[in-house]
Short mmCIF file of all heavy atoms in Angstrom, two decimals:
data_model
loop_
_atom_site.label_atom_id
_atom_site.label_comp_id
_atom_site.label_asym_id
_atom_site.label_seq_id
_atom_site.Cartn_x
_atom_site.Cartn_y
_atom_site.Cartn_z
N MET A 1 0.81 -1.18 0.00
CA MET A 1 -0.05 0.06 -0.05
C MET A 1 0.78 1.19 0.03
O MET A 1 2.04 1.21 0.41
CB MET A 1 -1.00 -0.08 1.28
CG MET A 1 -0.18 0.21 2.53
SD MET A 1 -1.11 -0.23 4.09
CE MET A 1 -1.10 -1.94 4.02
N GLU A 2 0.42 2.26 -0.49
CA GLU A 2 1.12 3.58 -0.57
C GLU A 2 0.26 4.66 0.20
O GLU A 2 -0.92 5.02 -0.27
CB GLU A 2 1.34 3.87 -2.03
CG GLU A 2 2.20 5.25 -2.09
CD GLU A 2 2.80 5.27 -3.57
OE1 GLU A 2 3.33 4.35 -4.19
OE2 GLU A 2 2.70 6.41 -4.01
N LEU A 3 0.83 5.34 1.08
CA LEU A 3 0.13 6.39 1.94
C LEU A 3 0.81 7.67 1.63
O LEU A 3 2.03 7.79 1.47
CB LEU A 3 0.24 6.11 3.55
CG LEU A 3 -0.29 4.65 3.88
CD1 LEU A 3 -0.26 4.50 5.34
CD2 LEU A 3 -1.76 4.48 3.32
N GLU A 4 0.01 8.74 1.55
CA GLU A 4 0.54 10.03 1.55
C GLU A 4 0.48 10.70 2.96
O GLU A 4 -0.65 10.63 3.56
CB GLU A 4 -0.22 10.92 0.52
CG GLU A 4 0.17 12.37 0.54
CD GLU A 4 -0.48 13.18 -0.57
OE1 GLU A 4 -1.76 13.03 -0.62
OE2 GLU A 4 0.22 13.92 -1.24
N VAL A 5 1.53 11.13 3.47
CA VAL A 5 1.52 11.88 4.81
C VAL A 5 2.06 13.34 4.73
O VAL A 5 3.31 13.41 4.67
CB VAL A 5 2.38 11.11 5.94
CG1 VAL A 5 2.20 11.66 7.29
CG2 VAL A 5 1.98 9.56 5.91
N LYS A 6 1.16 14.16 4.41
CA LYS A 6 1.47 15.52 4.04
C LYS A 6 2.25 16.30 5.17
O LYS A 6 3.15 17.10 4.90
CB LYS A 6 0.18 16.48 3.69
CG LYS A 6 -0.30 15.99 2.47
CD LYS A 6 -1.43 16.97 2.02
CE LYS A 6 -1.71 16.70 0.54
NZ LYS A 6 -3.19 17.12 0.25
N ASP A 7 2.09 15.92 6.47
CA ASP A 7 2.78 16.53 7.52
C ASP A 7 4.10 15.88 8.00
O ASP A 7 4.56 16.13 8.99
CB ASP A 7 1.91 16.85 8.71
CG ASP A 7 1.01 15.74 9.01
OD1 ASP A 7 1.16 14.67 8.55
OD2 ASP A 7 0.05 15.86 9.91
N MET A 8 4.58 14.94 7.11
CA MET A 8 5.95 14.34 7.38
C MET A 8 6.96 15.05 6.70
O MET A 8 7.00 15.10 5.45
CB MET A 8 5.81 12.82 6.74
CG MET A 8 7.14 12.09 6.81
SD MET A 8 7.13 10.45 6.15
CE MET A 8 6.73 10.66 4.55
N THR A 9 7.68 15.86 7.46
CA THR A 9 8.59 16.85 6.87
C THR A 9 10.18 16.58 7.10
O THR A 9 10.78 17.35 6.48
CB THR A 9 8.17 18.22 7.38
OG1 THR A 9 8.22 18.11 8.91
CG2 THR A 9 6.82 18.64 7.08
N CYS A 10 10.48 15.57 7.90
CA CYS A 10 11.96 15.41 8.12
C CYS A 10 12.25 13.92 8.59
O CYS A 10 11.30 13.17 8.63
CB CYS A 10 12.43 16.42 9.12
SG CYS A 10 11.85 16.05 10.80
N GLY A 11 13.43 13.73 8.82
CA GLY A 11 13.90 12.40 9.14
C GLY A 11 13.24 11.90 10.50
O GLY A 11 13.03 10.82 10.73
N HIS A 12 13.10 12.98 11.42
CA HIS A 12 12.38 12.60 12.67
C HIS A 12 10.98 11.98 12.46
O HIS A 12 10.61 11.07 13.04
CB HIS A 12 12.43 13.80 13.55
CG HIS A 12 11.57 13.61 14.84
ND1 HIS A 12 12.02 12.86 15.89
CD2 HIS A 12 10.41 14.02 15.13
CE1 HIS A 12 11.03 12.74 16.81
NE2 HIS A 12 10.02 13.48 16.34
N CYS A 13 10.16 12.76 11.55
CA CYS A 13 8.93 12.29 11.31
C CYS A 13 9.04 10.88 10.73
O CYS A 13 8.18 10.03 11.11
CB CYS A 13 8.31 13.13 10.15
SG CYS A 13 8.15 14.91 10.68
N ALA A 14 9.96 10.65 9.79
CA ALA A 14 10.09 9.41 9.14
C ALA A 14 10.32 8.21 10.21
O ALA A 14 9.83 7.14 10.10
CB ALA A 14 11.07 9.46 8.03
N GLY A 15 11.12 8.58 11.17
CA GLY A 15 11.45 7.65 12.19
C GLY A 15 10.30 7.32 13.18
O GLY A 15 10.00 6.17 13.50
N VAL A 16 9.56 8.44 13.49
CA VAL A 16 8.27 8.08 14.24
C VAL A 16 7.29 7.32 13.44
O VAL A 16 6.72 6.40 14.16
CB VAL A 16 7.64 9.45 14.71
CG1 VAL A 16 6.29 9.25 15.30
CG2 VAL A 16 8.51 10.22 15.63
N ILE A 17 7.12 7.55 12.18
CA ILE A 17 6.14 6.79 11.39
C ILE A 17 6.71 5.40 11.28
O ILE A 17 5.76 4.51 11.32
CB ILE A 17 5.80 7.61 10.11
CG1 ILE A 17 5.10 8.82 10.31
CG2 ILE A 17 5.18 6.70 9.09
CD1 ILE A 17 5.06 9.84 9.31
N THR A 18 7.88 5.23 11.01
CA THR A 18 8.46 3.80 10.78
C THR A 18 8.10 3.14 12.12
O THR A 18 7.78 1.90 11.98
CB THR A 18 9.95 3.85 10.55
OG1 THR A 18 10.20 4.56 9.28
CG2 THR A 18 10.55 2.49 10.38
N LYS A 19 8.41 3.62 13.26
CA LYS A 19 8.16 2.93 14.45
C LYS A 19 6.70 2.64 14.55
O LYS A 19 6.39 1.56 14.95
CB LYS A 19 8.59 3.78 15.75
CG LYS A 19 8.49 3.02 17.01
CD LYS A 19 8.90 3.88 18.15
CE LYS A 19 8.81 3.11 19.36
NZ LYS A 19 7.41 2.47 19.69
N ALA A 20 5.76 3.54 14.33
CA ALA A 20 4.29 3.33 14.37
C ALA A 20 3.92 2.12 13.40
O ALA A 20 3.09 1.26 13.81
CB ALA A 20 3.56 4.49 13.93
N VAL A 21 4.52 1.99 12.31
CA VAL A 21 4.20 0.96 11.29
C VAL A 21 4.66 -0.38 12.01
O VAL A 21 4.01 -1.43 11.79
CB VAL A 21 4.78 1.29 9.91
CG1 VAL A 21 4.69 -0.06 9.07
CG2 VAL A 21 4.21 2.39 9.28
N ARG A 22 5.91 -0.23 12.54
CA ARG A 22 6.38 -1.53 12.99
C ARG A 22 5.74 -2.06 14.32
O ARG A 22 5.84 -3.31 14.51
CB ARG A 22 8.01 -1.43 13.35
CG ARG A 22 8.82 -1.23 12.07
CD ARG A 22 9.44 -2.60 11.61
NE ARG A 22 9.77 -2.69 10.23
CZ ARG A 22 10.88 -1.98 9.77
NH1 ARG A 22 11.66 -1.32 10.51
NH2 ARG A 22 11.19 -1.97 8.41
N ASP A 23 5.14 -1.19 14.88
CA ASP A 23 4.37 -1.50 16.23
C ASP A 23 3.12 -2.18 15.75
O ASP A 23 2.62 -3.14 16.45
CB ASP A 23 3.99 -0.27 17.05
CG ASP A 23 5.17 0.22 17.89
OD1 ASP A 23 6.21 -0.51 17.92
OD2 ASP A 23 5.07 1.31 18.33
N VAL A 24 2.60 -1.93 14.52
CA VAL A 24 1.55 -2.73 14.03
C VAL A 24 1.99 -4.01 13.60
O VAL A 24 1.33 -5.09 13.77
CB VAL A 24 0.75 -2.01 12.85
CG1 VAL A 24 -0.31 -2.90 12.22
CG2 VAL A 24 0.17 -0.70 13.36
N ASP A 25 2.99 -4.18 12.77
CA ASP A 25 3.47 -5.37 12.12
C ASP A 25 5.03 -5.29 12.22
O ASP A 25 5.71 -4.47 11.27
CB ASP A 25 3.00 -5.50 10.70
CG ASP A 25 3.45 -6.71 9.99
OD1 ASP A 25 4.29 -7.53 10.56
OD2 ASP A 25 3.22 -6.89 8.79
N ALA A 26 5.70 -6.00 12.99
CA ALA A 26 7.14 -6.00 13.15
C ALA A 26 7.84 -6.50 11.85
O ALA A 26 8.96 -6.18 11.59
CB ALA A 26 7.63 -6.82 14.25
N GLN A 27 7.10 -7.26 10.97
CA GLN A 27 7.52 -7.80 9.75
C GLN A 27 7.35 -6.87 8.59
O GLN A 27 7.81 -7.26 7.45
CB GLN A 27 6.96 -9.19 9.45
CG GLN A 27 6.85 -10.21 10.66
CD GLN A 27 8.38 -10.58 11.06
OE1 GLN A 27 9.17 -10.70 10.30
NE2 GLN A 27 8.52 -10.50 12.37
N ALA A 28 6.65 -5.74 8.83
CA ALA A 28 6.35 -4.94 7.58
C ALA A 28 7.55 -4.45 6.92
O ALA A 28 8.64 -3.98 7.58
CB ALA A 28 5.57 -3.78 8.12
N GLN A 29 7.57 -4.32 5.67
CA GLN A 29 8.65 -3.59 4.83
C GLN A 29 8.16 -2.13 4.82
O GLN A 29 7.14 -1.90 4.20
CB GLN A 29 8.63 -4.22 3.45
CG GLN A 29 8.94 -5.66 3.45
CD GLN A 29 10.44 -5.88 3.24
OE1 GLN A 29 11.29 -5.04 3.25
NE2 GLN A 29 10.74 -7.14 2.90
N VAL A 30 9.03 -1.10 5.16
CA VAL A 30 8.53 0.19 5.16
C VAL A 30 9.64 0.97 4.32
O VAL A 30 10.88 0.81 4.47
CB VAL A 30 8.53 0.77 6.58
CG1 VAL A 30 7.89 2.18 6.61
CG2 VAL A 30 7.91 -0.18 7.61
N ASP A 31 9.09 1.77 3.45
CA ASP A 31 9.92 2.51 2.47
C ASP A 31 9.34 4.00 2.47
O ASP A 31 8.23 4.20 2.00
CB ASP A 31 9.88 1.86 0.99
CG ASP A 31 10.70 2.75 0.12
OD1 ASP A 31 11.72 3.38 0.43
OD2 ASP A 31 10.35 2.58 -1.15
N ILE A 32 10.22 4.89 2.99
CA ILE A 32 9.64 6.35 3.21
C ILE A 32 10.44 7.22 2.32
O ILE A 32 11.72 7.20 2.22
CB ILE A 32 9.72 6.68 4.62
CG1 ILE A 32 8.77 5.81 5.48
CG2 ILE A 32 9.57 8.17 4.74
CD1 ILE A 32 8.63 6.26 6.91
N ASP A 33 9.69 8.06 1.61
CA ASP A 33 10.28 9.10 0.82
C ASP A 33 9.84 10.49 1.47
O ASP A 33 8.76 10.83 1.17
CB ASP A 33 9.90 8.88 -0.65
CG ASP A 33 10.57 9.97 -1.61
OD1 ASP A 33 10.96 11.18 -1.06
OD2 ASP A 33 10.60 9.75 -2.84
N VAL A 34 10.60 11.16 2.20
CA VAL A 34 10.12 12.30 2.88
C VAL A 34 9.76 13.31 1.90
O VAL A 34 8.74 14.00 2.05
CB VAL A 34 11.19 12.71 3.88
CG1 VAL A 34 10.85 14.06 4.46
CG2 VAL A 34 11.30 11.81 5.06
N ALA A 35 10.76 13.61 0.94
CA ALA A 35 10.55 14.70 -0.16
C ALA A 35 9.06 14.52 -0.79
O ALA A 35 8.45 15.45 -1.04
CB ALA A 35 11.67 14.62 -1.04
N ALA A 36 8.71 13.32 -1.07
CA ALA A 36 7.55 13.05 -1.75
C ALA A 36 6.35 12.82 -0.88
O ALA A 36 5.25 12.62 -1.27
CB ALA A 36 7.72 11.75 -2.73
N ARG A 37 6.58 12.88 0.60
CA ARG A 37 5.66 12.76 1.52
C ARG A 37 4.93 11.32 1.48
O ARG A 37 3.84 11.16 1.66
CB ARG A 37 4.51 13.66 1.40
CG ARG A 37 5.05 15.22 1.43
CD ARG A 37 5.46 15.55 2.74
NE ARG A 37 5.72 16.95 3.05
CZ ARG A 37 7.02 17.56 2.85
NH1 ARG A 37 8.03 16.92 2.60
NH2 ARG A 37 7.11 18.84 3.00
N THR A 38 5.75 10.37 1.00
CA THR A 38 5.20 9.09 0.72
C THR A 38 5.79 7.96 1.71
O THR A 38 6.89 7.96 2.02
CB THR A 38 5.49 8.65 -0.74
OG1 THR A 38 4.90 9.51 -1.57
CG2 THR A 38 4.96 7.21 -1.09
N VAL A 39 4.70 7.07 2.03
CA VAL A 39 5.16 5.95 2.96
C VAL A 39 4.62 4.68 2.19
O VAL A 39 3.35 4.49 2.02
CB VAL A 39 4.57 6.04 4.37
CG1 VAL A 39 4.87 4.88 5.11
CG2 VAL A 39 4.90 7.19 5.12
N ARG A 40 5.44 3.80 1.73
CA ARG A 40 5.15 2.52 1.17
C ARG A 40 5.17 1.42 2.11
O ARG A 40 6.35 1.30 2.79
CB ARG A 40 5.91 2.23 -0.12
CG ARG A 40 5.49 3.00 -1.35
CD ARG A 40 6.17 2.57 -2.51
NE ARG A 40 6.34 3.74 -3.37
CZ ARG A 40 7.25 4.77 -3.38
NH1 ARG A 40 8.23 4.48 -2.52
NH2 ARG A 40 7.26 5.70 -4.24
N ILE A 41 4.17 0.62 2.31
CA ILE A 41 4.22 -0.45 3.32
C ILE A 41 3.89 -1.77 2.56
O ILE A 41 2.79 -1.80 1.87
CB ILE A 41 3.19 -0.15 4.37
CG1 ILE A 41 3.57 1.20 5.11
CG2 ILE A 41 3.32 -1.32 5.37
CD1 ILE A 41 2.48 1.76 5.95
N GLU A 42 4.69 -2.74 2.84
CA GLU A 42 4.34 -4.10 2.40
C GLU A 42 4.02 -4.86 3.63
O GLU A 42 4.86 -5.03 4.56
CB GLU A 42 5.54 -4.78 1.69
CG GLU A 42 5.90 -4.18 0.32
CD GLU A 42 5.08 -4.40 -0.77
OE1 GLU A 42 4.34 -5.48 -0.79
OE2 GLU A 42 5.08 -3.65 -1.63
N SER A 43 2.77 -5.39 3.89
CA SER A 43 2.40 -6.05 5.09
C SER A 43 1.13 -6.81 4.77
O SER A 43 0.30 -6.46 3.91
CB SER A 43 2.06 -5.03 6.08
OG SER A 43 1.39 -5.65 7.27
N ALA A 44 0.87 -7.94 5.56
CA ALA A 44 -0.31 -8.56 5.48
C ALA A 44 -1.43 -7.90 6.23
O ALA A 44 -2.54 -8.25 6.01
CB ALA A 44 -0.12 -10.13 6.08
N HIS A 45 -1.13 -6.85 7.09
CA HIS A 45 -2.24 -6.24 7.74
C HIS A 45 -2.83 -5.28 6.90
O HIS A 45 -2.41 -4.78 5.73
CB HIS A 45 -1.53 -5.41 8.75
CG HIS A 45 -1.19 -6.11 10.09
ND1 HIS A 45 -1.72 -6.11 11.17
CD2 HIS A 45 -0.12 -7.14 10.16
CE1 HIS A 45 -1.11 -7.04 12.10
NE2 HIS A 45 -0.17 -7.63 11.45
N GLY A 46 -4.08 -4.84 7.22
CA GLY A 46 -4.86 -3.86 6.26
C GLY A 46 -4.46 -2.48 6.40
O GLY A 46 -3.82 -2.06 7.42
N THR A 47 -4.83 -1.78 5.42
CA THR A 47 -4.51 -0.39 5.33
C THR A 47 -4.98 0.43 6.69
O THR A 47 -4.40 1.23 7.27
CB THR A 47 -5.07 0.31 4.12
OG1 THR A 47 -4.57 -0.54 3.03
CG2 THR A 47 -4.68 1.78 4.07
N ALA A 48 -6.37 0.11 7.14
CA ALA A 48 -6.87 0.74 8.23
C ALA A 48 -5.92 0.70 9.46
O ALA A 48 -5.94 1.63 10.21
CB ALA A 48 -8.19 0.32 8.43
N ASP A 49 -5.33 -0.41 9.66
CA ASP A 49 -4.53 -0.58 10.91
C ASP A 49 -3.34 0.54 10.89
O ASP A 49 -3.01 1.14 11.83
CB ASP A 49 -3.86 -1.92 10.94
CG ASP A 49 -4.82 -3.02 11.20
OD1 ASP A 49 -5.93 -2.68 11.48
OD2 ASP A 49 -4.48 -4.21 11.16
N PHE A 50 -2.80 0.71 9.70
CA PHE A 50 -1.65 1.65 9.56
C PHE A 50 -2.23 3.15 9.52
O PHE A 50 -1.43 3.82 10.11
CB PHE A 50 -0.86 1.34 8.32
CG PHE A 50 -0.26 -0.04 8.41
CD1 PHE A 50 -0.63 -1.12 7.62
CD2 PHE A 50 0.88 -0.26 9.19
CE1 PHE A 50 0.02 -2.28 7.67
CE2 PHE A 50 1.43 -1.47 9.27
CZ PHE A 50 1.00 -2.55 8.54
N LEU A 51 -3.27 3.22 8.92
CA LEU A 51 -3.85 4.79 8.97
C LEU A 51 -3.96 5.07 10.42
O LEU A 51 -3.75 6.20 10.86
CB LEU A 51 -5.10 4.74 8.21
CG LEU A 51 -5.02 4.73 6.68
CD1 LEU A 51 -6.54 4.65 6.08
CD2 LEU A 51 -4.29 5.85 6.20
N SER A 52 -4.61 4.25 11.36
CA SER A 52 -4.92 4.62 12.64
C SER A 52 -3.61 4.74 13.46
O SER A 52 -3.55 5.67 14.39
CB SER A 52 -5.97 3.75 13.33
OG SER A 52 -5.52 2.40 13.28
N ALA A 53 -2.70 3.88 13.17
CA ALA A 53 -1.43 3.81 13.96
C ALA A 53 -0.71 5.21 13.62
O ALA A 53 -0.14 5.75 14.53
CB ALA A 53 -0.55 2.68 13.59
N ILE A 54 -0.62 5.61 12.35
CA ILE A 54 0.13 6.87 12.09
C ILE A 54 -0.55 8.01 12.57
O ILE A 54 -0.03 9.06 12.93
CB ILE A 54 0.30 6.84 10.52
CG1 ILE A 54 1.22 5.74 10.06
CG2 ILE A 54 0.81 8.27 10.05
CD1 ILE A 54 1.37 5.56 8.59
N GLN A 55 -2.05 7.87 12.56
CA GLN A 55 -2.77 9.13 13.20
C GLN A 55 -2.44 9.24 14.60
O GLN A 55 -2.19 10.41 15.32
CB GLN A 55 -4.19 8.76 13.04
CG GLN A 55 -4.77 9.54 11.74
CD GLN A 55 -6.16 8.91 11.36
OE1 GLN A 55 -6.76 8.17 12.16
NE2 GLN A 55 -6.63 9.38 10.15
N GLU A 56 -2.42 8.09 15.35
CA GLU A 56 -2.11 8.12 16.76
C GLU A 56 -0.62 8.63 17.12
O GLU A 56 -0.37 9.11 18.11
CB GLU A 56 -2.19 6.65 17.34
CG GLU A 56 -3.69 6.33 17.69
CD GLU A 56 -3.93 4.90 18.06
OE1 GLU A 56 -3.03 4.25 18.35
OE2 GLU A 56 -5.12 4.38 17.74
N ALA A 57 0.25 8.48 16.00
CA ALA A 57 1.53 9.01 16.21
C ALA A 57 1.63 10.53 15.92
O ALA A 57 2.71 11.27 16.17
CB ALA A 57 2.46 8.38 15.26
N GLY A 58 0.50 11.12 15.53
CA GLY A 58 0.40 12.58 15.39
C GLY A 58 0.38 13.09 13.99
O GLY A 58 0.45 14.26 13.75
N TYR A 59 0.25 12.17 12.96
CA TYR A 59 0.42 12.57 11.60
C TYR A 59 -0.96 12.32 10.94
O TYR A 59 -1.91 11.76 11.48
CB TYR A 59 1.49 11.83 10.92
CG TYR A 59 2.80 12.26 11.52
CD1 TYR A 59 3.36 11.56 12.55
CD2 TYR A 59 3.45 13.40 11.12
CE1 TYR A 59 4.56 11.86 13.13
CE2 TYR A 59 4.69 13.71 11.67
CZ TYR A 59 5.23 12.98 12.65
OH TYR A 59 6.40 13.41 13.22
N THR A 60 -1.03 12.91 9.74
CA THR A 60 -2.24 12.89 8.94
C THR A 60 -2.11 12.04 7.65
O THR A 60 -1.79 12.58 6.64
CB THR A 60 -2.76 14.20 8.53
OG1 THR A 60 -2.64 15.08 9.68
CG2 THR A 60 -4.12 14.27 8.02
N PRO A 61 -2.32 10.65 7.66
CA PRO A 61 -2.03 9.95 6.59
C PRO A 61 -3.30 9.83 5.64
O PRO A 61 -4.44 9.90 6.10
CB PRO A 61 -1.73 8.50 7.03
CG PRO A 61 -2.62 8.44 8.39
CD PRO A 61 -2.61 9.92 8.86
N ALA A 62 -3.21 9.59 4.30
CA ALA A 62 -4.21 9.36 3.30
C ALA A 62 -3.80 8.26 2.54
O ALA A 62 -2.51 8.17 2.24
CB ALA A 62 -4.54 10.63 2.64
N VAL A 63 -4.68 7.58 2.00
CA VAL A 63 -4.32 6.51 1.08
C VAL A 63 -4.09 7.13 -0.33
O VAL A 63 -4.90 7.93 -0.73
CB VAL A 63 -5.56 5.39 0.87
CG1 VAL A 63 -5.17 4.36 -0.07
CG2 VAL A 63 -5.77 4.69 2.20
N ARG A 64 -2.97 6.81 -0.99
CA ARG A 64 -2.67 7.19 -2.37
C ARG A 64 -3.12 6.04 -3.35
O ARG A 64 -2.67 5.09 -3.15
CB ARG A 64 -1.16 7.57 -2.48
CG ARG A 64 -0.81 8.37 -3.58
CD ARG A 64 0.53 8.69 -3.68
NE ARG A 64 0.80 10.12 -3.04
CZ ARG A 64 1.93 10.61 -2.64
NH1 ARG A 64 2.96 9.86 -2.62
NH2 ARG A 64 2.05 11.86 -2.21
N ALA A 65 -3.88 6.51 -4.39
CA ALA A 65 -4.33 5.47 -5.36
C ALA A 65 -3.17 4.89 -6.08
O ALA A 65 -2.13 5.62 -6.26
CB ALA A 65 -5.31 6.12 -6.19
CU1 LIG B 1 9.72 16.11 11.21
#
């Protein structure tokens, strides 16, 4: 899945979001492009789990088609 996180602006944000994703699924593959505001996740878990985890971490994720 590919998420857009518009308020992810630096490496610190990327680290917080990576941790939030890994707390949902420790096996998840996470690929973050801060400049593009993009978080790509490979996981057996559903998108909703990651949307809520990233929201709880203080960010505003949206699904990118
Ligand atoms: Cu930041």
